[in-house]
Amino acid sequence: MRIKDLVMAALILGALWLLADLLSREEILEGHAFAVDGDTLDLAGTRVRLTGIDAPELRQECMRAGRPWACGEAARRVLQEALRAGPVTCAASRRDKYGRPLAVCRAGGVDLSEHMVQQGFAVAYLGRAYAGAEAEARAAGRGIWGASFQPPVEWRAAHPRGS
């Protein structure tokens, strides 16, 4: 190989390494937030989706003691209460289909996704990182586990946006 070819190969490899490094970096978002729903925050005007969980949709109802219960609104309230612990720090490494950062977020040192699952107001998914917390909430009958509910993914399919 000629020196010119070696230099070109080194430049290409360096550029690829730099691109891979840029794509893998976490985006850090910090500040005060409010709960949009049980798994979405508004952090300084940016909608951030909590990763690893799925909470009832804001308009979703569950059945508890034979009566409709606004479990989606209850999930939003539980998340809002957790946000009172202080400023939020979110680490996002990718985005969802709506362009929102998918992030692990903490308030007062507490992982908000784990908190929502532990309280019974979200189900665990995506690698089941919170499966143990879900099993605990389910066994204790906390939140939606003390009611009958349609999994949020199924509820969304039956109630498309705009309908």
Side-chain angles (χ1 to χ4, degrees), residues 38 54-56 69 71 74-75 78 116-123 142-144:
D54 198 10
W69 169 50
C71 57
V78 168
M116 292 302 291
V117 174
Q118 284 174 335
Q119 296 304 308
F121 284 94
V123 296
R142 282 190 218 117
I144 58 177

Side-chain angles (χ1 to χ4, degrees), residues 1 3-18:
M1 226 185 222
I3 291 189
K4 180 179 171 186
D5 294 333
L6 288 172
V7 169
M8 184 59 76
L11 287 173
I12 290 171
L13 286 173
L16 289 174
W17 178 82
L18 182 61

Side-chain angles (χ1 to χ4, degrees), residues 12-158:
I12 290 171
L13 286 173
L16 289 174
W17 178 82
L18 182 61
L19 180 61
D21 183 55
L22 288 173
L23 291 175
S24 68
R25 286 192 182 164
E26 286 186 331
E27 176 182 7
I28 303 297
L29 303 157
E30 296 178 306
H32 290 280
F34 70 87
V36 174
D37 59 25
D39 54 22
T40 308
L41 309 175
D42 185 296
L43 184 58
T46 298
R47 293 283 168 108
V48 179
R49 175 77 160 73
L50 298 176
T51 192
I53 68 169
D54 198 10
E57 294 300 316
L58 196 56
R59 296 182 299 123
Q60 186 172 345
E61 288 188 339
C62 301
M63 294 296 288
R64 187 166 62 181
R67 303 178 76 118
W69 169 50
C71 57
E73 180 57 39
R76 188 198 67 75
R77 283 193 306 271
V78 168
L79 181 56
Q80 186 62 47
E81 183 62 32
L83 293 171
R84 291 193 174 114
V88 175
T89 300
C90 297
S93 57
R94 57 191 179 100
R95 292 183 175 260
D96 70 6
K97 66 182 180 179
Y98 302 108
R100 299 176 297 191
L102 287 168
V104 173
C105 297
R106 295 181 178 280
V110 173
D111 178 332
L112 295 171
S113 293
E114 184 173 35
H115 175 76
M116 292 302 291
V117 174
Q118 284 174 335
Q119 296 304 308
F121 284 94
V123 296
Y125 76 98
L126 290 179
R128 309 289 294 174
Y130 303 108
E134 181 181 294
E136 179 188 315
R138 185 185 304 222
R142 282 190 218 117
I144 58 177
W145 301 110
S148 61
F149 69 96
Q150 189 174 24
V153 67
E154 292 176 15
W155 191 89
R156 283 190 301 276

